[in-house]
Amino acid sequence: MVHNTNATTAPAGALLVRNAAAVMTGRAGNAARAGAADIRIRDGRIAEIGAVLPRHDGEAVLDATGCVVYPGWVNTHHHLFQNLLKAVPSGMNVGLEQWLAAVAYPRLARFTPEIFRTAVRLGMAELLLSGTTTCADHHYLYHHGHGAETGDVLFEVAEELGMRLVLCRGGAIQSASDHPGMRATALVPETLDEMLADIERLKARYHDAAADGLRRVVVAPTTPTFSLPPALLRELAAFGRGMDLRLHSHLSETDNYVKFCREKYQCTPVQFVADHDWLGPDVWFAHLVTVNPEEVRMLAVTNTGMAHCPVSNARLGSGIAPVRAMADAGVPISLGVDGVASNESGSMVHEANFAWLVHRALGGAAQTRVEEVIHWGTAGGAQVLGLPGIGTLAPGQSADLAIYDVSGLRFHGFHDIGTAPVAAGEPTPVRDVLVRGRQVVRDGAVVGLDLEKLRREAREALVGLVD
Ligand SMILES: [Zn+2]
């Protein structure tokens, strides 16, 4: 096997991925499969996909014999700081509100920029090793006078590891005591001016509006119902749209969330956000577990997207979003792993496998197809993030590739090997990952990551986070 021949010394961006057993394109329906194919890459973009492409002079070869190729997964909802908060005992057997009070909120103030950097490194590396090339991080470690540097840390680590990052700039400006989970903390929320100034700063410094931009900024208060007074919600939407930034938040994660909204605002959560200009093709919400048919219709007609996070929703006992009905109605669907304090895994393969299975368990085998789940986790993510240059494998698209080694024993006997990562789930070893043609995982290791150092940093960081 010729593997990685001259991959680091060839002319920049000239690469031929050869002999893949199957290529899944991320597209829907009959276009989902490109069969056994080669992929030619030029300057970070896919130039050609076809059976047995000739090698051109000076072109490096990445031999994908025994592998299947997917578009890099697009994770549309994550909280990277939580990579140091897996399986906190007090949060293992409780629902969302108690989990927030026990796991997340008491530790928010303990995340120094150094500890945060370690968590982000762990989280991004874990995502890359599941074949995820784009991460939308809903980041909300912002308090009065604190937090700006953590946004920079996210972009710095993304640069270091080569991941595409969408920073969903979260936070709250409302008195912390307004949120039941925050009552026990002494954190002071930032002011609206602090929030807006930081978003403007982040946009000027990092935001890349290109169709395959590596750095994006999104306006993303932690929740639309708790994080700020309703009147300011509309103002914040106008502020974001005035800068051509997308909008994101959590919505309707539990029955209690819906109950709160009905009692406080006398309407459903989707109606509430509709009344405050928070629906549209430039908006996506995480969870949407508890939504009624009218809310699904409103999301569909406005083309408002959703980040489906079934593992976290199951782990917290929140329920499972009616994604079949939402997809059939035309709601853009994507997948997110959510923070790993409520997942214990930051793997998009695990997420896709569970998404494929859980809807069948609930509603029968016609609920999901492997190709459709791949589409949600790749092209669907690209759509809700407004990154049309990623998420599918086709000429002109960014060369974001996840190359899975399916030569191992557990993959013998597959009649349709392209389905293997999603249908077999973890462990499906990632051999190589490319982001815009740059190799960021090579032979199962994150390029440039000192694992021993990271282990040591993680152990040290945990000392300050355990009770
Ligand atoms: Zn979340």
Side-chain angles (χ1 to χ4, degrees):
M1 182 172 96
V2 183
H3 177 47
N4 266 2
T5 309
N6 298 327
T8 54
T9 54
L15 182 68
L16 182 62
V17 179
R18 253 185 176 171
N19 303 326
V23 174
M24 303 299 281
T25 64
R27 293 159 120 180
N30 291 335
R33 293 154 192 280
D38 298 347
I39 302 172
R40 194 185 309 285
I41 296 167
R42 280 285 178 283
D43 300 322
R45 294 246 164 86
I46 295 170
E48 196 177 358
I49 300 179
V52 198
L53 298 178
R55 183 186 180 185
H56 292 169
D57 284 349
E59 201 168 48
V61 170
L62 189 60
D63 192 299
T65 300
C67 296
V68 298
V69 182
Y70 278 33
W73 295 100
V74 180
N75 171 21
T76 59
H77 186 74
H78 204 12
H79 307 288
L80 284 162
F81 81 93
Q82 294 180 9
N83 257 76
L84 285 165
L85 300 177
K86 288 184 178 181
V88 174
S90 57
M92 281 302 278
N93 302 302
V94 293
L96 177 68
E97 285 83 7
Q98 286 172 280
W99 173 90
L100 284 168
V103 178
Y105 290 136
R107 291 173 178 80
L108 294 182
R110 299 192 217 168
F111 276 85
T112 62
E114 294 71 34
I115 289 177
F116 180 68
R117 187 182 298 272
T118 299
V120 172
R121 251 190 214 124
L122 279 174
M124 284 191 190
E126 186 180 10
L127 286 170
L128 287 170
L129 291 172
S130 77
T132 307
T133 49
T134 298
C135 177
D137 193 53
H138 195 185
H139 175 52
Y140 52 77
L141 298 184
Y142 294 100
H143 318 294
H144 181 51
H146 296 283
E149 64 272 53
T150 59
D152 296 317
V153 168
L154 279 160
F155 284 114
E156 285 161 18
V157 179
E159 186 71 33
E160 172 190 316
L161 300 183
M163 182 162 231
R164 181 177 285 96
L165 178 75
V166 176
L167 168 53
C168 303
R169 205 286 188 188
I173 60 167
Q174 194 143 278
S175 167
S177 64
D178 284 5
H179 192 296
M182 287 289 269
R183 275 185 200 130
T185 78
L187 292 169
V188 179
E190 61 184 344
T191 64
L192 181 64
D193 284 348
E194 282 176 305
M195 178 186 275
L196 300 187
D198 190 51
I199 294 170
E200 281 178 337
R201 179 188 75 86
L202 289 164
K203 197 221 169 185
R205 182 156 182 194
Y206 299 106
H207 187 76
D208 176 359
D212 66 342
L214 284 170
R215 310 281 172 256
R216 285 281 183 92
V217 176
V218 168
V219 175
T222 309
T223 79
T225 44
F226 292 109
S227 301
L228 64 174
L232 293 185
L233 194 58
R234 188 178 286 119
E235 191 179 314
L236 196 58
F239 171 81
R241 289 187 171 117
M243 292 198 296
D244 281 330
L245 300 181
R246 297 176 94 79
L247 309 176
H248 175 56
S249 197
H250 295 100
L251 201 72
S252 301
E253 188 167 350
T254 63
D255 291 346
N256 278 348
Y257 191 102
V258 178
K259 189 164 164 276
F260 167 86
C261 202
R262 282 194 178 280
E263 284 171 3
K264 184 151 186 185
Y265 302 116
Q266 293 78 50
C267 63
T268 63
V270 173
Q271 184 63 53
F272 174 78
V273 293
D275 292 344
H276 296 86
D277 301 337
W278 269 74
L279 291 182
D282 56 352
V283 186
W284 84 103
F285 291 107
H287 304 306
L288 296 169
V289 169
T290 305
V291 283
N292 67 30
E294 172 58 13
E295 290 180 291
V296 171
R297 190 196 65 77
M298 292 170 76
L299 294 164
V301 297
T302 55
N303 223 16
T304 305
M306 85 93 83
H308 184 32
C309 307
V311 175
S312 172
N313 299 148
R315 151 75 158 85
L316 291 170
S318 303
I320 293 296
V323 165
R324 181 71 272 147
M326 296 170 88
D328 290 345
V331 178
I333 309 293
S334 66
L335 298 180
V337 302
D338 204 1
V340 296
S342 63
N343 187 326
E344 279 71 35
S345 169
S347 163
M348 284 290 279
V349 169
H350 180 51
E351 202 70 36
N353 172 254
F354 187 66
W356 178 57
L357 291 172
V358 70
H359 296 284
R360 292 169 165 239
L362 294 172
Q367 292 287 302
T368 51
R369 298 172 70 88
V370 168
E371 301 88 334
E372 185 179 36
V373 172
I374 297 170
H375 177 69
W376 291 343
T378 57
Q383 182 182 348
V384 307
L385 298 184
L387 287 163
I390 68 167
T392 51
L393 301 184
Q397 291 293 87
S398 182
D400 291 17
L401 271 58
I403 302 175
Y404 295 99
D405 180 352
V406 290
S407 63
L409 180 142
R410 74 187 296 257
F411 303 106
H412 295 349
F414 261 79
H415 289 230
D416 183 1
I417 196 66
T419 64
V422 171
E426 296 284 20
T428 298
V430 169
R431 203 192 70 184
D432 301 291
V433 176
L434 308 180
V435 176
R436 212 191 252 176
R438 171 183 169 190
Q439 193 156 7
V440 296
V441 173
R442 176 176 294 130
D443 289 330
V446 178
V447 175
L449 184 69
D450 184 338
L451 267 186
E452 265 318 303
K453 184 163 171 279
L454 184 56
R455 269 197 202 100
R456 205 166 50 243
E457 287 168 353
R459 270 199 304 271
E460 287 164 10
L462 269 182
V463 172
L465 296 171
V466 292
D467 283 333

